[in-house]
Amino acid sequence: MSNLIVIGFNNETDAFEMRAALAKMQAQYLIEMEDAVVVTRDARGKVQLHQAVSLTATGAIGGAFWGTLIGMLFFNPLLGAAVGAGSGALSGKLTDLGINDEFMKELGATLKEGTSALFVLVRKSTPDKVLEGLKAFAGKGRIIQTSLTKDNEQELRKFIEAQ
């Protein structure tokens, strides 16, 4: 079972930096994330979702590959690539993996202008090592929402919101 953790920041850059730190730890097998999205609310109040992976681009690349392969079988690889890329991009755009986009937009609308939040869906982690790797962020954020147990949430809150 995965756990959702939402951490708010008073600026737009800290959420991106924490996501990068978590991605680095994922490469070291200290944490396994299903999704990590930065939500910002700019000075005009517009909420933006910054996905770690563009599903549209991924779908287009995969579709182009399969379209080319199928096109080669029917002696028209360019047409196959174009059709495959288009259908792959469309399916990627319509696919919503991980954290629900509407949920993130609704919560993002509650942020103050010029701030951000990091939404992380964690499958597995080594909590003590992850917290050690996030020391640079201690005291910079606030816990907005989690699906952790009360004890784990309190420990995380104490670490992130430390003054």
Side-chain angles (χ1 to χ4, degrees):
M1 180 174 153
S2 299
N3 285 304
L4 175 68
I5 301 168
V6 182
I7 302 171
F9 295 95
N10 291 328
N11 59 49
E12 294 186 17
T13 58
D14 285 340
F16 286 105
E17 290 173 4
M18 182 180 270
R19 182 173 69 180
L22 288 169
K24 189 175 182 182
M25 285 186 266
Q26 182 163 289
Q28 298 168 347
Y29 301 101
L30 299 176
I31 189 169
E32 186 177 332
M33 298 181 292
E34 285 182 44
D35 202 0
V37 180
V38 174
V39 177
T40 58
R41 186 160 185 213
D42 63 19
R44 297 184 317 261
K46 185 177 182 203
V47 175
Q48 291 184 315
L49 305 182
H50 305 273
Q51 304 278 355
V53 175
S54 169
L55 295 175
T56 303
T58 304
I61 291 168
F65 170 76
W66 288 108
T68 301
L69 186 62
I70 292 169
M72 286 171 48
L73 295 173
F74 296 104
F75 304 109
N76 198 343
L78 290 177
L79 179 63
V83 170
S87 63
L90 181 62
S91 70
K93 186 165 182 61
L94 298 176
T95 302
D96 187 15
L97 299 174
I99 308 165
N100 182 287
D101 287 355
E102 286 304 311
F103 168 70
M104 290 187 287
K105 287 177 184 176
E106 287 174 17
L107 202 57
T110 67
L111 296 173
K112 291 180 182 176
E113 294 173 354
T115 64
S116 63
L118 175 62
F119 290 69
V120 184
L121 196 56
V122 178
R123 186 175 294 143
K124 291 189 287 187
S125 71
T126 310
D128 56 333
K129 291 183 179 181
V130 170
L131 292 180
E132 179 70 28
L134 294 176
K135 273 189 174 179
F137 300 97
K140 288 187 174 184
R142 67 194 180 291
I143 302 298
I144 296 175
Q145 186 170 341
T146 76
S147 63
L148 297 169
T149 63
K150 283 187 177 191
D151 292 338
N152 288 343
E153 181 177 340
Q154 281 304 106
E155 183 179 343
L156 181 62
R157 187 177 301 276
K158 187 175 166 183
F159 175 81
I160 293 291
E161 297 175 3
Q163 298 299 332

